[in-house]
Amino acid sequence: MNKKFVDQIRSNNQIAISKAITSIESGNIFNKSFLDEIYKYSTSSLRIGITGPPGAGKSTLTDKLIDKFLKSNKSVGVIAVDPTSPFTGGALLGDRVRMNNYLWNDDVFIRSLGARGELGGLSKKTQEIGDILAASGKDIIIYETVGVGQGEHDIIKQVDIVIVVLVPESGDEIQLMKAGIIEIGDIFVINKADRQGSNKLAQSLINILHSTFSKNKLQPEVFLTSADRSDGIDLLFEGIDFVNNAFVNDGTLINKRNNRLKNRVFQIVKDQLLDEFWTSKKIESLNKSIKNMNNTHDSPFKIAKMMIDEKK
Ligand SMILES: Nc1nc2c(ncn2[C@@H]2O[C@H](COP(=O)(O)OP(=O)(O)O)[C@@H](O)[C@H]2O)c(=O)[nH]1
Ligand SMILES: [Mg+2]
């Protein structure tokens, strides 16, 4: 059964892909051998993250980039995570409208996830969903996320190339966001360049990047786009290709992937150990200790030590 399911995914069967993603999304635990098998076929896709504030034009840009990738004979999977949008059951409204063009195209698979306030397990899920899409043969996987909190940063760490999208109005925010975004971006896009202030923002961003990056490291480029009218998309597309080649040649890509793998292993071990540790007996005993706390005045450190020392 497992083998057949894996084969269906590998042959780009849309229903099988959907089913697998829905299972992961709803927290059903797959048989480990299934994810093992999927992983084998998931390592060659290029993963691109597109992050930035809500409304910056990430979905519009993604839509235009899909078109460019398709024209260069590459298939694309998209995972859009937007915790600020209401959960609509499978697709976020805006994204659904914008990306409807690809509804019947087997070379494109788009899935929107509403975070519903729980970002905790989300990065693990998006990682696994990325593996499913990669195993289905997608050459490119795009993660679209709102770049605000830690949870989103965890998602963005799963990709090979990070594109940070800003808008001219982000000018004031840039001081605030500086630390976070400068280190995370491999490519910067100022979208809505049709609006005032884009050149000024581009210049201050270039200055910041210039002073942050040492001469011997690849300095991220800044692109100006007006995604809704397709301006600047060709140059951005070339920029992505350039960064990809540079990362392949200077070892950055392999480093990023190795780090990712290491973090995943850390996470899996952590999850499993925690799972094994908190038996119902332990939880019961913890509840008892908490109840008695008013009498014993035990500190959380002491209770934790008792928990660890206590038999399973
Ligand atoms: N003026 C202008 N509006 C844009 C541009 N790109 C996207 N938009 C609009 O900005 C809004 C938000 O875009 P969307 O792609 O949903 O942003 P996201 O929340 O970052 O995914 C939509 O109404 C788009 O049509 C642009 O280059 N210029
Ligand atoms: Mg969006």
Side-chain angles (χ1 to χ4, degrees):
M1 149 67 189
N2 255 344
K3 167 110 180 43
K4 195 171 157 227
F5 196 30
V6 173
D7 287 345
Q8 284 173 335
I9 288 168
R10 288 191 62 208
S11 60
N12 199 26
N13 177 323
Q14 307 292 300
I15 295 169
I17 299 169
S18 251
K19 219 169 108 183
I21 294 179
T22 302
S23 289
I24 291 171
E25 194 187 356
S26 54
N28 291 349
I29 310 228
F30 271 116
N31 186 319
K32 280 216 178 65
S33 66
F34 171 74
L35 287 175
D36 266 353
E37 195 62 21
I38 286 289
Y39 183 78
K40 272 189 220 159
Y41 307 106
S42 73
T43 53
S44 56
S45 314
L46 180 70
R47 302 191 189 205
I48 300 173
I50 300 188
T51 189
K58 300 179 296 299
S59 295
T60 314
L61 267 171
T62 302
D63 182 62
K64 303 290 162 151
L65 288 174
I66 293 173
D67 194 48
K68 294 291 290 181
F69 281 118
L70 288 176
K71 284 190 174 128
S72 58
N73 273 327
K74 293 203 181 333
S75 53
V76 189
V78 178
I79 303 167
V81 184
D82 189 349
T84 62
S85 290
F87 186 73
T88 52
L92 303 174
L93 214 51
D95 299 340
R96 183 158 46 190
V97 171
R98 238 177 310 287
M99 296 178 190
N100 249 351
N101 304 344
Y102 307 110
L103 213 52
W104 306 112
N105 188 332
D106 281 355
D107 286 333
V108 180
F109 193 101
I110 297 167
R111 181 61 86 102
S112 299
L113 307 176
R116 285 182 288 183
E118 40 111 21
L119 276 168
L122 199 62
S123 71
K124 184 166 165 283
K125 287 180 185 175
T126 49
Q127 184 86 254
E128 289 169 3
I129 293 171
D131 288 353
I132 299 279
L133 291 176
S136 80
K138 301 297 175 294
D139 301 302
I140 309 290
I141 316 259
I142 298 179
Y143 288 82
E144 181 197 323
T145 76
V146 175
V148 277
Q150 188 55 47
E152 292 84 356
H153 276 254
D154 287 346
I155 295 171
I156 224 67
K157 278 186 209 141
Q158 302 170 9
V159 304
D160 302 314
I161 298 174
V162 176
I163 303 177
V164 174
V165 184
L166 298 168
V167 285
E169 293 77 21
S170 311
D172 298 335
E173 284 169 50
I174 211 161
Q175 278 315 108
L176 283 173
M177 294 172 74
K178 206 163 115 179
I181 61 157
I182 297 299
E183 63 181 27
I184 216 170
D186 300 308
I187 290 173
F188 289 84
V189 172
I190 297 169
N191 189 42
K192 307 198 182 180
D194 47 288
R195 291 189 183 167
Q196 261 198 347
S198 51
N199 285 322
K200 193 162 159 259
L201 176 59
Q203 200 47 56
S204 62
L205 196 51
I206 289 168
N207 291 342
I208 295 169
L209 290 168
H210 202 70
S211 62
T212 312
F213 280 76
S214 66
K215 292 229 159 36
N216 47 15
K217 256 196 103 184
L218 183 69
Q219 191 176 307
E221 263 195 90
V222 178
F223 293 90
L224 289 163
T225 60
S226 293
D228 65 343
R229 53 212 80 172
S230 301
D231 281 352
I233 303 295
D234 288 353
L235 282 178
L236 171 62
F237 190 71
E238 282 169 27
I240 294 172
D241 195 43
F242 177 82
V243 170
N244 183 28
N245 286 329
F247 281 4
V248 169
N249 292 331
D250 72 3
T252 302
L253 190 71
I254 195 84
N255 271 342
K256 282 192 177 204
R257 289 183 175 178
N258 286 346
N259 275 331
R260 221 147 73 200
L261 196 56
K262 195 164 134 189
N263 283 330
R264 272 183 96 169
V265 175
F266 272 132
Q267 190 63 45
I268 292 167
V269 170
K270 193 167 118 187
D271 289 350
Q272 186 164 336
L273 289 182
L274 277 177
D275 244 29
E276 285 166 9
F277 181 83
W278 288 112
T279 57
S280 49
K281 196 167 155 242
K282 281 250 159 106
I283 291 177
E284 209 175 293
S285 148
L286 173 64
N287 285 338
K288 223 182 263 167
S289 304
I290 300 290
K291 239 191 215 154
N292 292 334
M293 229 169 139
N294 287 338
N295 302 327
T296 59
H297 299 290
D298 280 341
S299 74
F301 310 101
K302 189 169 173 194
I303 299 176
K305 184 162 186 332
M306 269 157 42
M307 293 288 114
I308 292 167
D309 291 344
E310 196 173 288
K311 278 211 201 79
K312 272 190 186 170

